[in-house]
Amino acid sequence: MAAAAAAPGPGSGPGDSPEGPEAEAPERRRKAHGMLKLYYSLSEGEAAGRPSGPDPLDPTDLNGAHFDPEVYLDKLRRECPLAQLMDSETDMVRQIRALDSDMQTLVYENYNKFISATDTIRKMKNDFRKMEDEMDRLATNMAVITDFSARISATLQDRHERITKLAGVHALLRKLQFLFELPSRLTKCVELGAYGQAVRYQGRARAVLQQYQHLPSFRAIQDDCQVITARLAQQLRQRFRCGSWATSHCRWAPRSAPPLPPEFCLPALHLRLPSCREGGSGAPEQAECVELLLALGEPAEELCEEFLAHARGRLEEELRSLEAELGPSPPAPDVLEFTDHGGSGFVGGLCQVAAAYQELFAAQGPAGAEKLAAFARELGSRYFALVERRLAQEQGSGDNSLLVRALDRFHRRLRAPGALLAAAGLAEAATEIVERVARERLGHHLQGLQAAFLGSLTDVRQALAAPRIAGKEGPGLAELLANVASSILSHIKASLASVHLFTAKEVSFSNKPYFRGEFCSQGVRESLIVGFIRSMCQTAQSFCDSPGEKGGATPPALLLLLSRLCLDYETATISYILTLTDEQFLVQDQSPVTPVSTLCAEARETARRLLTHYVKVQGLVISQMLRKSVETRDWLSTLEPRNVRAVMKRVVEDTTAIDVQVGLLYEEGVRKAQSSDSSKRTFSVYSSSRQQGRYAPSYTPSAPMDTNLLSNIQKLFSERIDVFSPVEFNKVSVLTGIIKISLKTLLECVRLRTFGRFGLQQVQVDCHFLQLYLWRFVADEELVHLLLDEVVASAALRCPDPVPMEPSVVEVICERG
């Protein structure tokens, strides 16, 4: 056997080594070793022989395949003490019981499955026995059937060939019969109006007649068919031109028309036209005429021009109908009815024409498509012009609901022709019209808000003038301010709700980029809301013109009310309105918008200008009274004063009225601490705020000091008074500004007059009276004291005989006055 193993095999080549099988054995062992390693999930180290677990050949391993009980027991007796032996016994008994219990549980749980499997196997044995019997019978029957079929085929072989030949002859005879009857069939179809059936006959037979036209009989049939076909084409052209292709006659195969043999059947001619308008405008019928003419071999270019010309006539008729509705004589329908008429008439007809053209003249290629696009673009521009004329008539209406519905239907109707004629740009033009109308509506609402604001100001003017005319009290300034603010806010909310209809989800054009971005940010927020707020501020500032212009006719109470309105807008209303706008119109545009802080600053500046102008106007009114009272009196020859002049009482009354008026809209403000004797101070000829004593000594002729020098020294040390200082938003600041202007005017008027002794004393009495009442209106009572000191000192400087009145007498006269 060794020699046989070493000898080369019969198939060995000269280069084969006799040790080849022995060299292959280690390779096979390595493969087997690798498979075992993979099966037992051993690592490289474990496979190399390094111990990483129990030895599978160990006879003492309870779980190993080579377990030997005797060796295991001998090992335990040799290595374990008695206690460990008893523990091992106990543990082994426990494991045996656990295994018995698990085995018993397994048997109980699967008992039903075992029984079911046994029953299934028993049934399968019975079923297979029956199936074997049936298969045997089936094989027997198939053999019988095969035998019968073979005998029948052998019997009918000759007859089958004869039947096939006869069937072919019959089919040929039927074709020949149809060809010989073709002229009469065509004539009958033309008489019955079954033009489609006639075209189908001619189209199928044309190839056969062309093939056998060299035969005289077929040549005659072809000549007759050509004459009939020419007459058919003439009738189709006539019907196409006159547009009288009745729907009742558009029957491709009437019941009375001769049936077409199966051998000559063609697919029915059919146009897939969208149902764009109920009742039709004739376009489908004319398309059928064109389709039949094309099937008859008429030139496509000529039919294309004629088709568009006829369609132009029908669509221009629709445009003339729409234009007639815009005429001055009949009352124009509402915009919704107008767009419905245009959509169902013109747009529906254009949709039918485009679909029919593309179906019929698809072979024309890009040139035909461009011709159709130019046709649609020209007529569409005329239709859009009519729609814009009608929409322009709606600009005066304040309700947007009907207009938005009309625009929605207008935009929806143009979706179909826009998809069919993408090159014509009809959908884009319709979207531009809608956007343009939306911009115009925003401008209209802005004008409406401006008109409402001016109307509110007119109502305020009338309410302010009504008490003076009727002699009764009218609404207070606070009530008028609340009415104006609520009226403006309600108009803003109404405008926002109205323009919000353009962005409603159910509107077809609301998902366009313009209405999702620019319309919300630049249109509604900037143009409408921000534009109105700025317009309101500009209108309010226009009342601050010079007195000779518009501002001279403005009631001071209106200036005060507008200043408070702008201040309220700055503090809360502007932020509320813009927040409301941003919530209703979710802006998806990144365009820059006006910050709230900028608008608030503009409103505050407007309020400041209005309040400053109010102070100037009221100060001018009181100054005019004081100026006239000084200029119209002869101060040199006046009598000794016995009471306070009436004009001073009027100044106090008007100042008190202004104090009440301003207090209705503005808070009190902060005053400096007042001295306890403010109302008891009297004025001597040279008293001033810089003197140590409360009262200066009366002037005597032997006074050594020059009065001019004394006055100039007083001015050097006196505090400078800013008459037109900025006005704060409180009552004290407003009254302080008015009183400064009034007393400064009195001072300047006194400097232009010359006073006698009694004239100086009258000025002294008047100034003391003003001091008694005016100090409580200003922020700093020293301001009133300084100005009145200046007035009395100026009068003394311009008096040749400056003998002042005793302070006690001045107080008695003022208290009596």
Side-chain angles (χ1 to χ4, degrees):
M1 292 182 64
S12 300
D16 293 339
S17 174
E19 298 180 357
E22 296 179 357
E24 293 177 0
E27 182 66 23
R28 287 197 299 270
R29 284 197 297 271
R30 280 196 299 271
K31 290 184 178 179
H33 181 71
M35 295 175 66
L36 289 173
K37 179 182 68 173
L38 181 65
Y39 177 77
Y40 288 107
S41 301
L42 298 177
S43 62
E44 294 295 335
E46 295 171 349
R50 289 190 295 269
S52 60
D55 187 1
L57 301 178
D58 186 7
T60 61
D61 184 10
L62 287 173
N63 298 322
H66 301 278
F67 175 70
D68 188 349
E70 295 298 333
V71 176
Y72 179 73
L73 289 175
D74 291 341
K75 181 181 179 182
L76 287 180
R77 285 195 296 267
R78 287 195 310 268
E79 296 178 358
C80 300
L82 179 61
Q84 188 173 355
L85 285 174
M86 296 180 67
D87 293 339
S88 299
E89 180 188 9
T90 304
D91 183 58
M92 189 173 297
V93 170
R94 181 180 57 78
Q95 292 181 10
I96 292 172
R97 290 175 180 175
L99 289 174
D100 290 342
S101 177
D102 293 343
M103 185 178 299
Q104 186 177 6
T105 303
L106 181 64
V107 172
Y108 287 160
E109 289 179 351
N110 295 278
Y111 179 76
N112 291 332
K113 297 179 182 179
F114 295 152
I115 299 301
S116 177
T118 304
D119 295 340
T120 302
I121 294 172
R122 187 181 299 112
K123 290 179 181 178
M124 287 176 63
K125 290 181 179 180
N126 297 331
D127 293 341
F128 275 118
R129 292 194 186 99
K130 294 179 181 179
M131 189 179 298
E132 288 176 358
D133 297 339
E134 291 178 357
M135 291 298 294
D136 293 340
R137 287 195 298 271
L138 179 61
T140 303
N141 292 335
M142 289 298 297
V144 174
I145 292 172
T146 303
D147 183 39
F148 283 156
S149 176
R151 284 187 289 175
I152 292 172
S153 298
T155 304
L156 298 179
Q157 180 65 32
D158 298 336
R159 295 181 183 179
H160 176 71
E161 295 176 356
R162 294 177 59 191
I163 290 172
T164 303
K165 292 179 181 180
L166 291 175
V169 172
H170 180 265
L172 180 60
L173 290 175
R174 287 191 62 187
K175 292 180 180 180
L176 292 175
Q177 182 184 3
F178 173 76
L179 289 176
F180 284 113
E181 293 177 356
L182 182 59
S184 60
R185 287 173 180 265
L186 291 178
T187 303
K188 188 173 182 180
C189 287
V190 172
E191 291 175 354
L192 294 175
Y195 301 114
Q197 187 78 338
V199 172
R200 290 170 62 194
Y201 288 162
Q202 173 65 20
R204 183 60 177 173
R206 183 186 298 126
V208 179
L209 293 175
Q210 287 285 347
Q211 184 178 358
Y212 297 102
Q213 63 179 347
H214 59 280
L215 300 176
S217 57
F218 285 92
R219 181 70 179 181
I221 294 173
Q222 185 181 22
D223 294 340
D224 294 341
C225 291
Q226 287 178 351
V227 172
I228 297 172
T229 303
R231 187 169 69 250
L232 173 61
Q234 184 179 2
Q235 291 184 9
L236 288 174
R237 281 185 175 275
Q238 183 179 0
R239 288 182 179 275
F240 175 71
R241 292 191 180 99
C242 67
S244 61
W245 181 268
T247 305
S248 60
H249 292 159
C250 293
R251 296 170 296 182
W252 295 107
R255 293 180 182 176
S256 58
L260 186 67
E263 296 83 0
F264 289 88
C265 283
L266 284 174
L269 299 175
H270 178 64
L271 281 176
R272 296 175 295 277
L273 299 178
S275 177
C276 293
R277 183 187 177 190
E278 293 294 334
S281 63
E285 293 80 8
Q286 293 153 20
E288 292 166 359
C289 287
V290 173
E291 186 180 18
L292 294 178
L293 290 171
L294 288 173
L296 291 175
E298 296 294 319
E301 185 68 25
E302 180 182 349
L303 290 175
C304 173
E305 295 292 341
E306 197 167 350
F307 178 80
L308 290 181
H310 194 278
R312 181 186 297 274
R314 287 186 173 274
L315 294 177
E316 286 181 346
E317 183 180 351
E318 294 288 348
L319 292 177
R320 285 192 294 271
S321 175
L322 291 175
E323 191 171 9
E325 294 181 3
L326 297 176
S329 52
D334 60 53
V335 65
L336 186 61
E337 182 180 350
F338 180 85
T339 53
D340 281 342
H341 183 190
S344 59
F346 175 80
V347 179
L350 182 62
C351 180
Q352 289 180 342
V353 169
Y357 184 94
Q358 292 177 352
E359 184 79 15
L360 294 171
F361 305 104
Q364 296 294 316
E370 180 59 31
K371 186 182 300 184
L372 178 62
F375 169 83
R377 194 180 301 114
E378 177 189 354
L379 293 178
S381 62
R382 294 173 57 184
Y383 171 65
F384 292 150
L386 293 176
V387 171
E388 288 191 282
R389 283 177 54 189
R390 182 61 187 86
L391 293 175
Q393 299 177 6
E394 294 294 316
Q395 294 303 316
S397 63
D399 187 15
N400 281 349
S401 58
L402 190 64
L403 178 63
V404 172
R405 288 174 58 195
L407 290 174
D408 179 39
R409 294 189 184 181
F410 166 73
H411 190 268
R412 287 180 188 272
R413 288 283 188 175
L414 284 165
R415 282 181 175 178
L420 288 172
L421 303 168
L426 298 179
E428 292 77 5
T431 303
E432 290 178 0
I433 290 176
V434 175
E435 293 176 0
R436 189 155 51 246
V437 172
R439 293 189 190 96
E440 293 174 354
R441 293 305 297 173
L442 289 175
H444 172 75
H445 282 287
L446 177 59
Q447 294 176 0
L449 290 176
Q450 293 171 346
F453 178 63
L454 293 177
S456 299
L457 297 185
T458 303
D459 295 339
V460 171
R461 283 175 176 268
Q462 294 176 354
L464 293 175
R468 293 194 295 270
I469 296 176
K472 60 181 180 180
E473 290 295 330
L477 283 181
E479 182 179 354
L480 292 176
L481 176 64
N483 293 338
V484 172
S486 62
S487 175
I488 295 174
L489 191 58
S490 63
H491 279 88
I492 290 176
K493 290 182 178 180
S495 297
L496 289 176
S498 184
V499 298
H500 189 265
L501 297 175
F502 285 95
T503 60
K505 292 183 179 179
E506 61 273 9
V507 178
S508 61
F509 51 80
S510 62
N511 58 349
K512 296 296 179 182
Y514 171 75
F515 289 98
R516 287 299 177 194
E518 183 181 352
F519 177 78
C520 297
S521 62
Q522 302 301 318
V524 178
R525 192 185 192 279
E526 293 297 309
S527 299
L528 182 60
I529 302 303
V530 176
F532 169 68
I533 293 175
R534 285 178 168 166
S535 172
M536 185 181 69
C537 293
Q538 292 174 1
T539 302
Q541 289 184 13
S542 65
F543 293 106
C544 299
D545 296 338
S546 60
E549 299 177 3
K550 186 176 180 179
T554 304
L558 180 61
L559 296 173
L560 187 66
L561 185 143
L562 287 176
S563 69
R564 184 65 203 190
L565 177 66
C566 293
L567 186 63
D568 290 342
Y569 265 69
E570 183 265 339
T571 54
T573 309
I574 290 178
S575 177
Y576 170 74
I577 293 174
L578 292 182
T579 302
L580 180 65
T581 303
D582 294 338
E583 289 176 353
Q584 292 187 8
F585 299 88
L586 299 177
V587 179
Q588 300 179 359
D589 188 17
Q590 302 300 326
S591 301
V593 295
T594 305
V596 178
S597 58
T598 301
L599 283 180
C600 292
E602 293 178 6
R604 187 175 185 84
E605 178 62 20
T606 302
R608 186 194 61 77
R609 289 190 59 186
L610 286 167
L611 194 59
T612 302
H613 190 63
Y614 172 80
V615 170
K616 292 179 180 179
V617 170
Q618 293 288 47
L620 180 62
V621 172
I622 298 176
S623 298
Q624 291 291 341
M625 290 191 299
L626 293 174
R627 184 176 64 82
K628 292 179 179 179
S629 68
V630 173
E631 293 177 350
T632 58
R633 190 178 183 91
D634 185 5
W635 294 99
L636 290 172
S637 58
T638 185
L639 300 177
E640 184 179 0
R642 292 290 181 264
N643 50 31
V644 180
R645 288 188 301 151
V647 67
M648 298 302 167
K649 298 179 182 179
R650 177 68 182 276
V651 168
V652 174
E653 292 173 359
D654 288 356
T655 305
T656 305
I658 293 172
D659 178 75
V660 174
Q661 187 181 67
V662 176
L664 296 174
L665 300 181
Y666 284 100
E667 292 76 14
E668 180 70 22
V670 180
R671 287 190 176 91
K672 289 186 178 181
Q674 301 170 358
S675 60
S676 58
D677 58 348
S678 299
S679 60
K680 297 181 177 299
R681 175 174 176 176
T682 57
F683 292 92
S684 64
V685 177
Y686 300 116
S687 64
S688 86
S689 58
R690 66 176 178 82
Q691 293 172 325
Q692 297 294 329
R694 175 62 63 182
Y695 306 107
S698 299
Y699 171 77
T700 58
S702 59
M705 185 176 293
D706 185 12
T707 58
N708 288 327
L709 180 60
L710 179 62
S711 176
N712 293 330
I713 293 175
Q714 290 177 358
K715 290 180 181 179
L716 288 175
F717 291 95
S718 62
E719 183 180 356
R720 181 180 179 275
I721 299 175
D722 187 4
V723 178
F724 298 103
S725 60
V727 182
E728 299 178 1
F729 296 104
N730 57 70
K731 184 177 70 173
V732 172
S733 179
V734 172
L735 269 295
T736 300
I738 295 173
I739 291 174
K740 284 194 296 183
I741 293 174
S742 304
L743 296 183
K744 185 66 175 178
T745 302
L746 177 61
L747 174 61
E748 297 301 327
C749 292
V750 166
R751 287 176 176 173
L752 299 177
R753 309 294 295 178
T754 303
F755 296 86
R757 176 190 298 178
F758 296 135
L760 173 61
Q761 294 176 0
Q762 184 65 56
V763 170
Q764 187 179 1
V765 171
D766 292 344
C767 288
H768 182 70
F769 181 79
L770 292 177
Q771 187 272 332
L772 287 176
Y773 294 98
L774 296 185
W775 66 270
R776 61 177 64 103
F777 296 120
V778 297
D780 186 5
E781 64 182 65
E782 290 297 325
L783 181 76
V784 177
H785 299 161
L786 288 174
L787 290 173
L788 292 177
D789 282 347
E790 290 277 347
V791 171
V792 175
S794 296
L797 291 175
R798 288 154 181 82
C799 179
D801 185 17
V803 178
M805 182 178 288
E806 291 294 330
S808 58
V809 178
V810 172
E811 291 179 2
V812 170
I813 294 175
C814 290
E815 290 175 359
R816 185 177 59 193

